[in-house]
Amino acid sequence: MMESKGCVVWFTGLSGAGKTTTAQHLLQQLREAGARAELLDGDELRAGICKGLGFSREDRMENIKRIAYVAGLLARNGVIAIVSAITPYREMRQYARSAIGSYIEVYVDCPLEECERRDVKGLYAKARKNEIPSFTGISDPYEVPENPDIVLNAHGSTVSGNVVQVCSWLAKSGYLPAREGELV
Ligand code: ADP
């Protein structure tokens, strides 16, 4: 096992921006390098420990609190916990930052028009037809992060380039051993 330091790498961004895609590649890269890493995917957790929660402000907040709790436990035990969740409100990200000792905010930046063009899950089309109430970016706000630790360009840059950017940041900040050329 490589000596990584526990932390939470929290991906925030619009639906379809590329959070899960980038997070999955990062997970694979970290594991191949011998680090202990886990991925907490917002969509999966909504079918599990966050089941029953809806999309009101209160429920969304509760959703994030549960994810932050589990991610924090993992991080305290030396795991690099990657979270992929829209996390649309500033208040949520402030909560996660204060609740988690080593919280690294990664803003997956992709224009709404591009997310809508991708429409990976067909949700934007439904939201435009008012079939989904409170859909982030359409009928519910996404408050752009004001002080993210990392910003990834998920429109112009490649997934692998963005993974390198995160790994370099983790190495530079002491979460991964900074051995030249090992991860990047
Ligand atoms: P999210 O988890 O943010 O909802 P997903 O990762 O599920 O988004 O979907 C993003 C989609 O955009 C995927 O189909 C992915 O292949 C595509 N995509 C195209 N370019 C990029 C990029 N540079 N970074 C991430 N995803 C990209």
Side-chain angles (χ1 to χ4, degrees):
M1 276 287 159
M2 183 176 74
E3 285 174 46
S4 50
K5 210 168 99 189
C7 61
V8 176
V9 181
W10 195 294
F11 286 88
T12 171
L14 291 167
S15 175
K19 299 179 297 299
T20 297
T21 305
T22 312
Q24 282 171 344
H25 280 79
L26 174 65
L27 177 71
Q28 193 185 345
Q29 178 80 26
L30 290 171
R31 284 185 174 164
E32 277 171 14
R36 277 199 292 161
E38 272 298 340
L39 171 59
L40 298 171
D41 183 78
D43 287 342
E44 278 179 28
L45 294 179
R46 275 190 174 275
I49 58 163
C50 300
K51 197 172 172 153
L53 294 174
F55 293 88
S56 65
R57 193 174 177 101
E58 201 182 18
D59 276 12
R60 283 176 185 264
M61 195 67 205
E62 178 60 26
N63 181 49
I64 291 302
K65 283 185 175 173
R66 291 187 199 177
I67 298 173
Y69 179 74
V70 178
L73 287 183
L74 289 168
R76 266 197 272 145
N77 284 281
V79 176
I80 299 179
I82 307 165
V83 172
S84 170
I86 300 174
T87 332
Y89 308 143
R90 221 157 274 146
E91 183 192 1
M92 295 169 165
R93 299 186 299 259
Q94 276 164 3
Y95 172 85
R97 195 182 282 282
S98 64
I100 298 165
S102 42
Y103 168 85
I104 300 151
E105 190 170 290
V106 183
Y107 172 40
V108 181
D109 187 9
C110 185
L112 175 65
E113 303 75 58
E114 171 63 12
C115 295
E116 214 171 336
R117 194 193 61 74
R118 291 178 186 168
D119 208 1
V120 190
K121 297 163 204 147
L123 297 176
Y124 283 99
K126 285 191 183 165
R128 286 291 182 197
K129 285 189 271 176
N130 289 325
E131 289 171 13
I132 307 175
S134 307
F135 191 77
T136 300
I138 306 291
S139 43
D140 210 65
Y142 179 79
E143 297 168 0
V144 172
E146 286 168 334
N147 53 352
D149 299 286
I150 302 172
V151 179
L152 300 180
N153 178 346
H155 187 22
S157 312
T158 62
V159 176
S160 56
N162 284 337
V163 168
V164 168
Q165 194 184 327
V166 176
C167 287
S168 303
W169 193 97
L170 291 173
K172 184 195 74 187
S173 306
Y175 291 103
L176 292 174
R179 264 171 259 151
E180 203 62 41
E182 189 168 358
L183 268 162
V184 294

